[in-house]
Amino acid sequence: MSGVWGNNIKLSIFGESHGKAIGITIDGLKPGIELDVDYIKNQMQRRAPGSSLLSTPRKEGDNFEILSGFFNGKTTGTPLCAVIYNQNTISKDYESTKDLMRPGHADYTGHVRYDGFNDYRGGGHFSGRLTAPIVFAGAICRYILEEKNIIIGSHIKSIASVSERKFGLEDLKVEKLIELSKDEFPVLENKSKESMVDSILKAKEEGDSVGGTIETAVLNLPPGIGNPFFNSIESTISGLLFSIPAVKGVEFGAGFDIAGMKGSEANDEYFIDKNKEIKAKSNNNGGVVGGITNGMPLIFRAAIKPTPSISKSQNTVNIEKMENAVLNIKGRHDPCIVPRAVSVVEAVAAIAIVDLLQFVK
Amino acid sequence: MSGVWGNNIKLSIFGESHGKAIGITIDGLKPGIELDVDYIKNQMQRRAPGSSLLSTPRKEGDNFEILSGFFNGKTTGTPLCAVIYNQNTISKDYESTKDLMRPGHADYTGHVRYDGFNDYRGGGHFSGRLTAPIVFAGAICRYILEEKNIIIGSHIKSIASVSERKFGLEDLKVEKLIELSKDEFPVLENKSKESMVDSILKAKEEGDSVGGTIETAVLNLPPGIGNPFFNSIESTISGLLFSIPAVKGVEFGAGFDIAGMKGSEANDEYFIDKNKEIKAKSNNNGGVVGGITNGMPLIFRAAIKPTPSISKSQNTVNIEKMENAVLNIKGRHDPCIVPRAVSVVEAVAAIAIVDLLQFVK
Amino acid sequence: MSGVWGNNIKLSIFGESHGKAIGITIDGLKPGIELDVDYIKNQMQRRAPGSSLLSTPRKEGDNFEILSGFFNGKTTGTPLCAVIYNQNTISKDYESTKDLMRPGHADYTGHVRYDGFNDYRGGGHFSGRLTAPIVFAGAICRYILEEKNIIIGSHIKSIASVSERKFGLEDLKVEKLIELSKDEFPVLENKSKESMVDSILKAKEEGDSVGGTIETAVLNLPPGIGNPFFNSIESTISGLLFSIPAVKGVEFGAGFDIAGMKGSEANDEYFIDKNKEIKAKSNNNGGVVGGITNGMPLIFRAAIKPTPSISKSQNTVNIEKMENAVLNIKGRHDPCIVPRAVSVVEAVAAIAIVDLLQFVK
Amino acid sequence: MSGVWGNNIKLSIFGESHGKAIGITIDGLKPGIELDVDYIKNQMQRRAPGSSLLSTPRKEGDNFEILSGFFNGKTTGTPLCAVIYNQNTISKDYESTKDLMRPGHADYTGHVRYDGFNDYRGGGHFSGRLTAPIVFAGAICRYILEEKNIIIGSHIKSIASVSERKFGLEDLKVEKLIELSKDEFPVLENKSKESMVDSILKAKEEGDSVGGTIETAVLNLPPGIGNPFFNSIESTISGLLFSIPAVKGVEFGAGFDIAGMKGSEANDEYFIDKNKEIKAKSNNNGGVVGGITNGMPLIFRAAIKPTPSISKSQNTVNIEKMENAVLNIKGRHDPCIVPRAVSVVEAVAAIAIVDLLQFVK
């Protein structure tokens, strides 16, 4: 099964890139949540294509229509379904190359998994476009969290070989995260942005693409959220992150670097702070120990691979003829999806946390 | 919920480190699997403590008893429950320090999550000991996979600051992986092992601990295993890996390094090989594209943090008195759990794959 | 959670009677099923209102639109979503009485469950109209079953106090069931129909309503389908049947009558038939023993309560004023929903069986 | 999948009648529940065999051992596993007849389902003995409910052809239900008991068996518990009831009789009672409308078939030889399991309600 997720809330996604519509049903939302539709639109806008020189010229409003579960401006508590109708799709772009399995894309694996019956146009169900409904659900969850003063924010930690510093404890202020989350290219240091943008434009010029890493923080999560073992907060978030096409690595806190530390360095020593709350002096565990939050900022990083669609000529196979072939893609593509992916990464964090927080009945 | 996992097979774990027993129930196994109990014992032995100077002196056979679902040497198809009775537990070790929240351990987060009612002795349900039943289930799954010639093997890629090379395509032979999986300290290059062992012994001497990374490969997985989005093979494996206490990072294929590549490098170009099968020239995607296997070796790495239990003095809090405190742990601990963790990492890979492969009814 | 169901296929329903649309997403369907849209329309038509004097005059085509998961006339294997847009809704009918809790309806229980935020118009999410998407999913499942020669049919066993005989083994022929399933008022004996219709028309005249019972048979189910305990075929079917608004009783085989039999009567003795297959001489167990099919016809009956909407004056409460009140409903209602419910009962049987049969990946 | 159940709590059962042990793991229990082990023992005793002339002479204490999740007299919140070791099993009773498929038992269906690999001794995993762990879990859930003053009680409504009246609203007092739940043969009228016992003893004398019906009530359930559609309270309870071997019918409120009523009779009219609470004048819906409780007593009935094990000669098939055969069973059996089944029926009601009530984290 692939399209249903969750324990306390249940998401059910559907759709193909060039079909009639894509969408999501969210079950288990608490009744009476006064949803701000503009808030959701803003979050959707962060992911939407066509907003800058850095992304695909395919302009698609990602305008959603809520079909159910929303009445008089509030959630009803029954399943909320939202649909985004597809438009501005140029299917012919894909028709001529449908038997050529694009490297890095799910063309070949989807073909095998679905015995060749999957909708291949624009990646079909595998398209990054399917993250739009996930951002929709994430926007609702984020809204629920913000009511509890739980705040999510991210920066682009690297693009190609350009990298900036990790979040320091000093960056982890509510105002700073809010500021980052309003920026369409959020970085901790402005000079990073320039070099990163240069990398992207250079790749674009070359008909190539670049990837990057996103670092995300969640503030004000109470301690005690999560579970040992199978539904640990790390399992829940990583499971969703690896659902996002292009994510190839996930780490929490110091992540892979913690493997090089000694126990005496890595252990985050506790102390009683001035508010008589238990805090840790360091945050190598990224706010999670034993699968459960410890009241420190939740920190994780996701590695995003370069957009597989590139204009450069590539070798591949023709799946019908079972022979080697050369692929030249003409469509419209993002030279780098990292800036757009920020909203998706944050969305799945919000979804995972709401599911675990059991804010919802 | 924390103790139940799976779609096609269902695992249900239970137990505390110093309670009567720990165990697991596996539902959904196909009937008629002729289980080799010695095979399972060997796998369990790989994880068992007390087998070398490098691990905790707590000697515990991890002898399991199968209570159900196994009849005349074969699985019945009904739930298979195995229990490991606890023995050789020195609870007093923990009693005196029960209010002192050990840094890096789940004492504090578990205390909050369970309102102080959790069994704190030896980490209780959070103990790494709970991975023994997981290795038991993993052994059965591994056995099922080997019948299909699907082979799992790993090497210790790093301990502390000592690191060796990643798997190259040339290492990924069945014989090589089998050889690695019989080694209790598997490395690609013998010289790595020496330096790694030195790091561990040095940390032990200092009353400290070290972590490391494990790289795992799965060979001969057919293409088409996994799903887009929520049940991608990466989501499934990473969800289980992050259930293992101490795992703080997971990456597939080139992982975080792929974020620094260009699309033209990262894309694994397909070609028809001499057996008329579709293969890729490189394996930056680690055998998975769009959440589904592509027939290349499945490759992932997990970062293991240093054992949080160390003999060095540490600052922490007394949860009852809500005051700062100093902790000195006297118990028996592993200076490095990485070698023992190899079997656990491989076990969860086997479990995840069997669940997705739907070998089982 | 209320709107998500299934293990091997997952259904996710949404919608309110007077909202924008109702619909369903079906995940887990096998790719490449060549769906006959007319076949689905015919099944939907069996449930659709307004087709005869016996049902509500609200005319609604129940025209569905498939938004995803269907490409070139075949299922893709990815989630299939179908939407039915609402039209011809006269919301004002309900507005004036929204605080008066209609007896027998879910107005009061829904109000409490959802803290008053549910869409009350026409029963909202509780409306029988939500069975339309279930019949849509059932039609697909029925189609899958018919490909395997598994045939479902029913008769109206009783309306009000008019009852006809149960299915005898002689009735349980494929042709007979197909004939019944094409009849909009299926009975075993024509004279029953007349008296039943009279009961309905009489109730209609009185501004009242009547209920009835439906008996359903499934032929050619292979033995071995189902599970002991929690996912028994009886658990699965009854769980779905009791999801249908108005069902208040479910029994399999001899059902409640078996409680009055002796073991020597009730036990269905096995024998080898002329085709060298194991069959039973009687079918008191209705084709299921130990939660698993035994190769005999699957037989069950469902009790449908009289439509709660009646024109007669009724006592109730005003939930806002918390005072007693008198309710006079003016809307358009079915004097008897039993004939329309036949298609819903059969749909859920088909869904339950497909889920258990694991025809689907 | 057959052995895992639940949303807010998860049950996982295992075991075979003549294997080493049977048991259950319960996950999701709230931490800190002060379990009274004697209370659980008393509930187990109600189901245990060998307590009277009416049941099987197999004496088995059903002594359970709690292996985990229980510390210092309270639940820990982590999975609670209890095991009942088998003893006093006379496997040879079954060995000689293992190829003869006992009519009414799951021998044949289990054989097909599990390809002949299931443990056939004493019914194996299909044995009624597996209801012991369910009663264990039910006892914990019942205890949780009683803390909230939610009370469950039943009477034996019929044995063979001897029937007594249904619960009237006047019977539905807390004291009355408690009194019934302490009686090992609970009836509303003493004279019923005599005739019922006579029926059982007569059947026993004849080497035959009898069935019956159980009517159960749950008092003080608040309104608003349950869900529309798939997780209605009726779906949840009926799903579990049909998991109990021998249950062939389930009805709520007036049940099958409601199908013969008019809407004006069947609708339970609401009024404001003297405590300013909303109540209904009648209870034909058995306390549930639209899948959700309405604050009236929850009422349901279950039909229990006669014990399939009888001493009388029966025709059947030999599954190995694929030929007709005659079966003479010599083992020890209950002439009527209805009195023992009362505790099981009540247990699953308690489990279903706790799962829906979300008392538990």
Side-chain angles (χ1 to χ4, degrees):
Chain A
M1 206 65 52
S2 62
V4 177
W5 183 91
N7 288 303
N8 295 301
I9 53 170
K10 291 267 186 204
L11 308 185
S12 177
I13 59 167
F14 60 87
E16 284 90 25
S17 182
H18 288 59
K20 285 193 187 161
I22 58 177
I24 194 163
T25 305
I26 314 168
D27 196 9
L29 288 173
K30 209 173 159 176
I33 303 170
E34 200 168 340
L35 285 187
D36 180 344
V37 174
D38 284 334
Y39 180 93
I40 301 174
K41 279 185 187 163
N42 283 342
Q43 291 296 324
M44 300 287 282
Q45 198 50 42
R46 296 175 66 200
R47 194 214 72 91
S51 60
S52 88
L53 274 177
L54 304 176
S55 71
T56 168
R58 172 172 171 180
K59 290 212 193 310
E60 188 107 52
D62 279 0
N63 297 315
F64 57 87
E65 184 173 9
I66 298 179
L67 298 181
S68 67
F70 188 61
F71 182 53
N72 292 336
K74 302 196 184 76
T75 57
T76 57
T78 55
L80 190 158
C81 179
V83 168
I84 301 164
Y85 295 98
N86 289 323
Q87 34 177 275
N88 191 14
T89 57
I90 308 179
S91 298
K92 273 183 301 183
D93 279 5
Y94 299 93
E95 205 60 29
S96 64
T97 54
K98 80 183 176 71
D99 296 333
L100 303 183
M101 305 287 96
R102 295 170 301 162
H105 274 290
D107 296 354
Y108 171 54
T109 58
H111 184 92
V112 177
R113 170 69 176 78
Y114 296 113
D115 298 340
F117 293 109
N118 55 313
D119 180 351
Y120 49 78
R121 298 169 302 166
H125 184 62
F126 291 88
S127 169
R129 187 158 163 65
L130 267 285
T131 57
I134 291 174
V135 171
F136 175 87
I140 294 177
C141 292
R142 188 179 185 121
Y143 188 85
I144 292 169
L145 293 175
E146 289 184 4
E147 297 276 293
K148 305 258 174 190
N149 200 31
I150 295 169
I151 303 298
I152 302 175
S154 311
H155 69 114
I156 297 175
K157 207 202 144 287
S158 72
I159 293 286
S161 59
V162 185
S163 187
E164 66 168 9
R165 64 181 170 85
K166 291 185 186 176
F167 273 131
L169 281 175
E170 69 285 0
D171 297 308
L172 298 170
K173 310 291 179 210
V174 165
E175 308 69 39
K176 179 69 183 167
L177 290 201
I178 291 176
E179 188 192 315
L180 288 169
S181 69
K182 288 184 174 156
D183 193 331
E184 66 173 33
F185 201 105
V187 287
L188 293 178
E189 297 176 50
N190 280 330
K191 60 178 181 181
S192 317
K193 183 173 168 176
E194 269 176 61
S195 314
M196 290 176 181
V197 169
D198 282 351
S199 298
I200 298 173
L201 293 176
K202 184 151 171 290
K204 190 180 179 182
E205 217 174 276
E206 293 168 358
D208 214 329
S209 64
V210 288
T213 54
I214 295 166
E215 182 174 49
T216 300
V218 186
L219 299 189
N220 298 329
L221 265 179
I225 307 305
N227 297 286
F229 296 97
F230 303 133
N231 283 31
S232 79
I233 195 164
E234 289 151 313
S235 295
T236 307
I237 290 176
S238 73
L240 280 179
L241 284 171
F242 278 116
S243 297
I244 304 173
V247 170
K248 298 301 285 189
V250 171
E251 57 179 11
F252 290 83
F256 277 87
D257 287 347
I258 208 171
M261 294 180 183
K262 297 216 163 151
S264 55
E265 290 170 87
N267 286 348
D268 299 312
E269 294 187 318
Y270 294 110
F271 68 101
I272 312 275
D273 78 356
K274 56 187 175 190
N275 300 319
K276 300 284 178 199
E277 288 179 353
I278 294 173
K279 294 290 169 198
K281 289 174 192 173
S282 51
N283 194 18
N284 294 310
N285 283 284
V288 188
V289 186
I292 297 171
T293 55
N294 69 354
M296 294 297 288
L298 177 73
I299 302 287
F300 64 86
R301 274 169 298 282
I304 312 283
K305 73 178 186 182
T307 327
S309 291
I310 56 176
S311 308
K312 284 190 166 176
S313 234
Q314 295 179 89
N315 294 305
T316 188
V317 298
N318 181 311
I319 190 88
E320 278 307 307
K321 303 189 181 161
M322 274 302 280
E323 62 182 29
N324 291 321
V326 173
L327 173 72
N328 290 292
I329 307 180
K330 293 253 156 17
R332 305 155 300 171
H333 317 102
D334 288 296
C336 180
I337 56 164
V338 177
R340 291 175 60 201
V342 170
S343 64
V344 186
V345 165
E346 292 181 8
V348 303
I351 290 167
I353 293 168
V354 165
D355 192 59
L356 288 168
L357 265 175
Q358 306 181 316
F359 276 147
V360 286
K361 271 193 201 168
Chain B
M1 203 68 50
S2 62
V4 178
W5 182 90
N7 288 305
N8 295 301
I9 53 170
K10 290 268 185 203
L11 308 185
S12 177
I13 58 166
F14 60 86
E16 284 91 23
S17 182
H18 288 59
K20 286 193 186 160
I22 58 178
I24 193 163
T25 305
I26 313 168
D27 196 9
L29 288 172
K30 210 173 159 175
I33 303 170
E34 200 168 339
L35 285 188
D36 180 344
V37 174
D38 284 334
Y39 179 92
I40 301 175
K41 279 186 188 162
N42 282 342
Q43 291 296 324
M44 299 288 282
Q45 197 52 41
R46 296 175 66 201
R47 196 215 70 91
S51 60
S52 89
L53 275 176
L54 303 177
S55 72
T56 168
R58 172 174 171 176
K59 289 213 190 310
E60 187 108 54
D62 279 1
N63 296 316
F64 56 88
E65 185 174 9
I66 298 179
L67 298 182
S68 67
F70 188 62
F71 183 53
N72 292 336
K74 301 196 184 76
T75 57
T76 57
T78 54
L80 190 158
C81 180
V83 167
I84 300 164
Y85 295 99
N86 289 323
Q87 33 176 279
N88 191 14
T89 56
I90 308 181
S91 297
K92 274 184 299 183
D93 279 6
Y94 299 93
E95 204 61 28
S96 65
T97 55
K98 80 183 177 73
D99 296 333
L100 303 184
M101 305 287 95
R102 294 171 302 164
H105 274 289
D107 296 353
Y108 171 54
T109 57
H111 184 93
V112 176
R113 171 70 175 77
Y114 295 113
D115 298 340
F117 293 109
N118 55 314
D119 181 351
Y120 48 79
R121 298 170 302 167
H125 184 63
F126 290 88
S127 169
R129 186 157 163 67
L130 266 285
T131 57
I134 291 175
V135 171
F136 174 87
I140 294 176
C141 291
R142 187 179 185 120
Y143 188 86
I144 293 170
L145 293 175
E146 288 184 5
E147 297 275 294
K148 305 258 174 191
N149 200 30
I150 296 169
I151 303 298
I152 302 175
S154 310
H155 69 114
I156 297 177
K157 209 205 142 285
S158 73
I159 293 286
S161 59
V162 185
S163 186
E164 68 169 10
R165 64 181 171 83
K166 289 184 188 177
F167 273 131
L169 280 175
E170 68 285 2
D171 297 308
L172 299 170
K173 309 291 178 211
V174 165
E175 309 69 39
K176 180 69 184 167
L177 290 202
I178 290 176
E179 188 191 315
L180 287 170
S181 69
K182 288 185 175 154
D183 193 332
E184 65 174 32
F185 201 105
V187 287
L188 293 178
E189 297 175 51
N190 280 331
K191 60 177 181 182
S192 315
K193 183 172 169 178
E194 270 175 61
S195 315
M196 290 177 183
V197 169
D198 282 351
S199 298
I200 297 174
L201 293 176
K202 185 152 169 290
K204 190 180 180 183
E205 217 174 276
E206 293 169 358
D208 214 329
S209 64
V210 288
T213 54
I214 296 167
E215 183 174 48
T216 300
V218 186
L219 298 190
N220 297 331
L221 264 179
I225 307 303
N227 296 286
F229 296 96
F230 303 134
N231 285 30
S232 79
I233 196 165
E234 289 150 315
S235 295
T236 307
I237 291 176
S238 73
L240 279 179
L241 285 172
F242 279 116
S243 296
I244 304 174
V247 170
K248 298 302 286 187
V250 171
E251 57 178 13
F252 290 83
F256 276 87
D257 286 348
I258 208 171
M261 294 179 182
K262 297 216 164 150
S264 54
E265 292 170 87
N267 286 348
D268 300 312
E269 293 187 320
Y270 294 111
F271 69 101
I272 312 276
D273 78 358
K274 55 188 174 192
N275 300 321
K276 299 284 177 200
E277 288 178 354
I278 295 173
K279 294 289 169 198
K281 290 175 191 171
S282 51
N283 195 19
N284 295 308
N285 283 284
V288 188
V289 186
I292 297 172
T293 55
N294 68 355
M296 294 297 288
L298 177 74
I299 302 286
F300 63 87
R301 276 169 299 281
I304 312 283
K305 72 178 186 181
T307 329
S309 290
I310 55 176
S311 308
K312 284 191 166 174
S313 235
Q314 294 179 90
N315 293 306
T316 188
V317 297
N318 180 310
I319 191 87
E320 277 307 306
K321 301 189 183 162
M322 275 303 280
E323 62 183 29
N324 291 321
V326 173
L327 173 73
N328 290 291
I329 306 181
K330 293 251 155 14
R332 305 156 301 172
H333 315 103
D334 288 297
C336 181
I337 55 164
V338 177
R340 291 174 59 201
V342 171
S343 64
V344 186
V345 164
E346 292 181 10
V348 303
I351 291 167
I353 292 167
V354 166
D355 192 59
L356 288 168
L357 264 175
Q358 306 182 315
F359 275 149
V360 287
K361 270 193 200 169
Chain C
M1 206 64 51
S2 62
V4 177
W5 182 92
N7 288 304
N8 294 302
I9 53 169
K10 291 267 186 203
L11 308 185
S12 177
I13 58 167
F14 60 86
E16 284 91 24
S17 182
H18 288 59
K20 284 194 186 159
I22 59 177
I24 193 162
T25 305
I26 313 169
D27 195 10
L29 288 172
K30 210 173 158 174
I33 303 171
E34 199 167 339
L35 283 188
D36 180 344
V37 174
D38 284 333
Y39 179 92
I40 301 175
K41 279 186 187 163
N42 282 342
Q43 291 296 325
M44 300 288 281
Q45 198 50 42
R46 295 175 67 201
R47 196 215 69 91
S51 61
S52 90
L53 274 177
L54 303 177
S55 73
T56 168
R58 172 173 171 179
K59 291 213 193 308
E60 188 108 52
D62 280 0
N63 297 317
F64 57 87
E65 185 174 8
I66 297 178
L67 298 182
S68 67
F70 188 62
F71 182 53
N72 292 336
K74 302 196 184 76
T75 57
T76 56
T78 54
L80 189 157
C81 178
V83 167
I84 301 164
Y85 296 98
N86 290 323
Q87 33 175 275
N88 192 14
T89 55
I90 309 180
S91 297
K92 274 184 299 182
D93 280 5
Y94 298 93
E95 203 61 28
S96 65
T97 55
K98 81 183 175 71
D99 296 333
L100 303 184
M101 304 287 95
R102 294 171 302 163
H105 274 289
D107 296 353
Y108 171 54
T109 57
H111 184 94
V112 176
R113 171 70 176 78
Y114 295 113
D115 298 340
F117 293 109
N118 55 313
D119 180 352
Y120 49 79
R121 297 169 302 166
H125 185 62
F126 291 88
S127 169
R129 186 158 165 67
L130 266 284
T131 58
I134 291 174
V135 171
F136 174 87
I140 294 176
C141 291
R142 188 180 185 121
Y143 188 86
I144 292 170
L145 294 175
E146 288 183 6
E147 296 275 293
K148 305 259 174 189
N149 201 30
I150 296 169
I151 304 298
I152 302 176
S154 311
H155 69 113
I156 297 176
K157 209 206 142 283
S158 74
I159 293 286
S161 58
V162 185
S163 186
E164 67 169 9
R165 64 180 170 84
K166 290 183 186 177
F167 273 132
L169 281 175
E170 69 285 1
D171 297 309
L172 298 171
K173 311 290 179 211
V174 165
E175 309 71 37
K176 180 68 184 169
L177 289 201
I178 290 175
E179 187 191 315
L180 287 170
S181 70
K182 287 185 175 156
D183 193 332
E184 68 173 32
F185 201 106
V187 287
L188 293 178
E189 297 175 51
N190 280 329
K191 62 179 178 180
S192 316
K193 182 172 171 179
E194 270 176 61
S195 314
M196 290 177 182
V197 169
D198 282 351
S199 298
I200 298 173
L201 293 176
K202 187 152 169 289
K204 189 180 181 183
E205 215 175 278
E206 293 168 359
D208 213 330
S209 64
V210 289
T213 54
I214 295 167
E215 184 174 48
T216 299
V218 186
L219 299 188
N220 298 330
L221 265 180
I225 307 304
N227 296 285
F229 295 97
F230 304 134
N231 285 31
S232 79
I233 195 164
E234 290 151 313
S235 294
T236 307
I237 292 176
S238 73
L240 279 179
L241 285 171
F242 278 116
S243 296
I244 305 173
V247 170
K248 297 302 285 187
V250 171
E251 57 179 14
F252 290 82
F256 277 87
D257 287 347
I258 209 172
M261 295 181 181
K262 298 213 162 151
S264 54
E265 291 170 87
N267 286 348
D268 299 312
E269 294 187 319
Y270 294 111
F271 69 100
I272 312 275
D273 78 357
K274 56 188 175 192
N275 300 322
K276 299 285 178 200
E277 288 179 355
I278 294 174
K279 293 292 170 195
K281 291 174 188 170
S282 52
N283 195 18
N284 294 309
N285 283 284
V288 188
V289 186
I292 297 171
T293 54
N294 67 356
M296 296 295 289
L298 177 74
I299 302 286
F300 64 85
R301 276 169 297 282
I304 312 284
K305 73 177 185 181
T307 328
S309 291
I310 56 176
S311 307
K312 284 190 167 177
S313 233
Q314 294 179 87
N315 294 306
T316 189
V317 297
N318 181 310
I319 192 88
E320 277 307 306
K321 302 188 182 163
M322 274 302 278
E323 62 183 28
N324 291 321
V326 173
L327 173 73
N328 291 291
I329 307 180
K330 292 252 154 24
R332 305 155 299 172
H333 315 103
D334 288 296
C336 181
I337 56 162
V338 177
R340 291 174 59 200
V342 170
S343 63
V344 186
V345 164
E346 292 181 8
V348 303
I351 291 167
I353 293 167
V354 165
D355 192 60
L356 288 169
L357 265 175
Q358 306 180 314
F359 276 147
V360 287
K361 271 196 200 164
Chain D
M1 205 65 51
S2 62
V4 178
W5 183 90
N7 288 305
N8 294 301
I9 53 172
K10 291 267 185 204
L11 308 185
S12 178
I13 58 168
F14 60 86
E16 285 90 24
S17 182
H18 289 59
K20 285 193 187 161
I22 58 176
I24 193 162
T25 305
I26 313 168
D27 196 8
L29 288 171
K30 210 174 158 174
I33 303 172
E34 199 168 340
L35 284 187
D36 180 343
V37 174
D38 284 333
Y39 179 92
I40 301 176
K41 280 186 186 162
N42 282 342
Q43 291 296 325
M44 300 288 282
Q45 197 52 41
R46 295 176 66 200
R47 196 215 70 91
S51 61
S52 88
L53 275 177
L54 303 178
S55 72
T56 168
R58 173 173 170 179
K59 289 210 192 313
E60 188 109 52
D62 279 0
N63 296 316
F64 56 87
E65 185 173 9
I66 298 179
L67 298 182
S68 67
F70 188 62
F71 183 53
N72 292 337
K74 302 196 185 74
T75 57
T76 57
T78 55
L80 189 157
C81 179
V83 167
I84 301 165
Y85 295 97
N86 289 323
Q87 35 176 274
N88 192 14
T89 56
I90 309 180
S91 296
K92 274 184 300 184
D93 279 5
Y94 298 93
E95 204 60 28
S96 64
T97 55
K98 80 183 177 72
D99 295 334
L100 303 184
M101 304 287 96
R102 294 170 303 164
H105 274 290
D107 296 354
Y108 171 55
T109 56
H111 184 93
V112 177
R113 171 70 176 78
Y114 295 112
D115 298 340
F117 293 108
N118 55 314
D119 180 352
Y120 48 79
R121 297 169 303 166
H125 184 62
F126 291 89
S127 169
R129 186 157 164 66
L130 266 286
T131 57
I134 292 174
V135 171
F136 175 86
I140 294 176
C141 291
R142 187 178 185 121
Y143 188 86
I144 293 169
L145 293 175
E146 288 184 5
E147 298 275 294
K148 304 259 175 190
N149 201 30
I150 296 171
I151 303 298
I152 302 176
S154 311
H155 68 114
I156 297 176
K157 208 205 143 284
S158 73
I159 292 287
S161 60
V162 186
S163 185
E164 67 169 10
R165 64 181 170 83
K166 289 182 185 176
F167 273 131
L169 281 176
E170 69 284 0
D171 298 308
L172 299 170
K173 309 292 179 210
V174 165
E175 308 72 37
K176 180 68 184 170
L177 289 202
I178 290 176
E179 188 192 314
L180 288 170
S181 70
K182 288 186 174 155
D183 193 331
E184 68 172 31
F185 200 106
V187 288
L188 293 178
E189 297 176 50
N190 280 330
K191 60 177 182 182
S192 317
K193 182 173 170 176
E194 271 176 61
S195 315
M196 289 177 181
V197 169
D198 283 352
S199 299
I200 297 173
L201 293 177
K202 185 152 169 290
K204 190 181 180 182
E205 216 175 276
E206 293 168 359
D208 214 329
S209 65
V210 289
T213 53
I214 295 167
E215 183 173 49
T216 300
V218 186
L219 299 189
N220 298 330
L221 265 179
I225 307 304
N227 296 286
F229 296 97
F230 304 135
N231 284 31
S232 78
I233 195 165
E234 290 150 314
S235 295
T236 307
I237 291 176
S238 74
L240 279 180
L241 284 171
F242 279 117
S243 296
I244 304 174
V247 170
K248 297 302 286 189
V250 171
E251 57 179 13
F252 290 83
F256 276 87
D257 287 347
I258 208 170
M261 295 180 182
K262 297 215 161 149
S264 54
E265 291 170 87
N267 286 348
D268 299 311
E269 293 186 322
Y270 294 110
F271 69 100
I272 312 276
D273 78 357
K274 56 189 174 191
N275 301 320
K276 298 285 177 199
E277 289 178 353
I278 294 174
K279 294 290 170 196
K281 290 175 190 173
S282 51
N283 194 18
N284 294 308
N285 284 284
V288 188
V289 185
I292 297 171
T293 56
N294 68 356
M296 296 296 289
L298 177 74
I299 301 286
F300 65 85
R301 274 169 298 282
I304 312 284
K305 73 178 186 181
T307 329
S309 291
I310 56 176
S311 308
K312 284 190 166 175
S313 234
Q314 295 179 89
N315 294 306
T316 189
V317 297
N318 181 309
I319 191 87
E320 277 307 306
K321 301 188 182 161
M322 273 304 278
E323 63 183 26
N324 291 322
V326 173
L327 173 72
N328 290 292
I329 307 179
K330 291 252 155 16
R332 305 155 302 173
H333 315 104
D334 288 297
C336 181
I337 55 163
V338 177
R340 291 175 60 201
V342 170
S343 64
V344 186
V345 164
E346 292 181 9
V348 303
I351 291 167
I353 292 167
V354 165
D355 192 59
L356 288 168
L357 263 175
Q358 308 181 312
F359 275 147
V360 286
K361 271 193 203 168

